[in-house]
C-alpha cells in the first residue's frame, strides 16, 4: 500500500465530449497503472474553483476508452507520496496531463460527476473505506481514469486526488 | 452490528460563496437538484457492478437500488440492466478476471456493464 496524491493548481479547463482527445494541460489529471497487473484505488477527489467570474464547470471522473502514451506533468501539476516513509514504487503510475497519444474519456464508463461553479465553488468526495473505485492494469478500459471537464462548461480550478497503489 | 451504511462515501459541494449552478444545468449533467446552491452534503454509494458513484439524494430516494444476488447497492443503470437480463456480475469478479488475463499476458476485454444482449444500453 502506498497512498499518493496527484494535485493541480490553476488549471484552465477545456470542455470535452466523450471519446474526444483530451488536449494537453486542459484537464486536471489522469491516473494509469504503472504495469499490466497494478491495481489503483481512488480514495478522494477535491476540486476548488479559482475563476474570477461565474464559470459553471462540469468535471467528471471517468474511465478512458483510449489510454495515454508517453505521459508527463503539466505546469503546477505534480504527484507525491502522502506517507514520508513510503518506499519508491517499482512501477510508478502515470498521473500527468501531457501526452503524445491523448487519452479519450469513455462514453459508457463515467464514474463520478462533480459539478461546481468555479467562481468560489468547492466540491469534495471521499470514498468509503469499504467501497472505492479501482483501476486494473494499464490498458483500456479498466487501466486508466481521467478527471476532465464535460461539454458545456469550463473554468479555472485547483484540487487533488488521493489514490492508493498495489 | 454491521450495516450497509459502512459502504457509503461522502460528498460535499459548497457554493456558499458562489453564484452556484441552476437546477437545469445540474439535471443535464446528472447531479441532483439542490447541489448548486449553498452547502450540499450527501452520502454516496459505489455501484457494486460498474463502480459508478451515485449521490443518495434524500429528496427523491432514501434507499439506492439493491442487488440481492451480490447483496450490495448498485446504480440505476445496472439496476435496469439487471431487471432486463437477470445477470449479476460484481466488479470484484471483473477485476479477478482482468488480473488473471493480465498475469497470463493476454488482452483484457473492454468493460461494458450497460450491455444488454451485446448492445450498449444507457
Amino acid at each position: 500500500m502506498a497512498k499518493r496524491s496527484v494535485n493541480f493548481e490553476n488549471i484552465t479547463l477545456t470542455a470535452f465530449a466523450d471519446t474526444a482527445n483530451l488536449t494537453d494541460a486542459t484537464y486536471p489529471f489522469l491516473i494509469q497503472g504503472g504495469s499490466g497487473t497494478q491495481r489503483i484505488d481512488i480514495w478522494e477527489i477535491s476540486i476548488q474553483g479559482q475563476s474570477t467570474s461565474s464559470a459553471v464547470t462540469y468535471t467528471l471522473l471517468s474511465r478512458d476508452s483510449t489510454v495515454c502514451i508517453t505521459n508527463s506533468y503539466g505546469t503546477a501539476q505534480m504527484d507525491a507520496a502522502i506517507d514520508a516513509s513510503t518506499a519508491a514504487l517499482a512501477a510508478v503510475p502515470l498521473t500527468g496531463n501531457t501526452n503524445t497519444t491523448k487519452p479519450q474519456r469513455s462514453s459508457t464508463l463515467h464514474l463520478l460527476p462533480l459539478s461546481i461553479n468555479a467562481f468560489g465553488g468547492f466540491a469534495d468526495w471521499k470514498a468509503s473505506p469499504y467501497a472505492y473505485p479501482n483501476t486494473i492494469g494499464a490498458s483500456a478500459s479498466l487501466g486508466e481514469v481521467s478527471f476532465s471537464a464535460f461539454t458545456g462548461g469550463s473554468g479555472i480550478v485547483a484540487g487533488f486526488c488521493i489514490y492508493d497503489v498495489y | 452490528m454491521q450495516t450497509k451504511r459502512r459502504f457509503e462515501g461522502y460528498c460535499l459541494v459548497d457554493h456558499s460563496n458562489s453564484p452556484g449552478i441552476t437546477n437545469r444545468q445540474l439535471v443535464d449533467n446528472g447531479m441532483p437538484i439542490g447541489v448548486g446552491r449553498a452547502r450540499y452534503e450527501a452520502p454516496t454509494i459505489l455501484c457494486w457492478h460498474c463502480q459508478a458513484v451515485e449521490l443518495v439524494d434524500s429528496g427523491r430516494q432514501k434507499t439506492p437500488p439493491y442487488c440481492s444476488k451480490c447483496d450490495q447497492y448498485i446504480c440505476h443503470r445496472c439496476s435496469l440492466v439487471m431487471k432486463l437480463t437477470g445477470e449479476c456480475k460484481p466488479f470484484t469478479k471483473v477485476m479477478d478476471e482482468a488480473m488473471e488475463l493480465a498475469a497470463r499476458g493476454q488482452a483484457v476485454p473492454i468493460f461494458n456493464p450497460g450491455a444488454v444482449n451485446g448492445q450498449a444500453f444507457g
Side-chain angles (χ1 to χ4, degrees), chain A residues 82-141:
Chain A
I82 287 181
D83 190 334
S85 61
T86 296
L89 295 172
V92 180
L94 307 183
T95 54
N97 64 1
T98 301
N99 328 95
T100 53
T101 297
K102 313 303 179 193
Q104 294 182 356
R105 185 195 315 123
S106 168
S107 60
T108 59
L109 297 175
H110 295 179
L111 296 178
L112 170 68
L114 275 181
S115 301
I116 61 167
N117 189 322
F119 184 44
F122 163 80
D124 184 81
W125 165 79
K126 292 179 174 63
S128 159
Y130 300 95
Y132 33 79
N134 313 106
T135 69
I136 298 288
S139 57
S141 54

Side-chain angles (χ1 to χ4, degrees), chain A residues 27-100:
Chain A
Y27 59 100
F29 63 88
L30 58 80
I31 301 176
Q32 184 190 114
S35 71
T37 55
Q38 188 173 77
R39 188 186 106 198
I40 293 174
D41 299 339
I42 298 170
W43 288 100
E44 181 175 353
I45 296 177
S46 178
I47 179 168
Q48 302 107 42
Q50 294 184 320
S51 290
T52 54
S53 61
S54 185
V56 177
T57 301
Y58 302 126
T59 40
L60 171 65
L61 178 74
S62 172
R63 298 193 191 278
D64 289 342
S65 53
T66 299
V67 300
C68 77
I69 297 176
T70 313
N71 176 77
S72 61
Y73 294 113
T75 304
Q77 186 207 28
M78 57 196 69
D79 180 285
I82 287 181
D83 190 334
S85 61
T86 296
L89 295 172
V92 180
L94 307 183
T95 54
N97 64 1
T98 301
N99 328 95
T100 53

Side-chain angles (χ1 to χ4, degrees), chain B residues 32-69:
Chain B
I33 291 172
V35 170
R37 294 281 177 257
R39 183 184 171 94
Y40 179 93
E41 294 176 272
T44 63
I45 62 109
L46 184 80
C47 174
W48 216 249
H49 289 186
C50 72
Q51 292 207 323
V53 178
E54 282 199 350
L55 295 176
V56 180
D57 179 15
S58 59
R60 294 174 58 227
Q61 63 178 47
K62 289 191 174 12
T63 306
Y66 171 76
C67 173
S68 57
K69 291 186 178 181

Side-chain angles (χ1 to χ4, degrees), chain A residues 12-30:
Chain A
T12 302
L13 300 177
T14 297
F16 295 101
D18 291 335
T19 64
N21 284 343
L22 301 183
T23 307
D24 290 346
T26 59
Y27 59 100
F29 63 88
L30 58 80

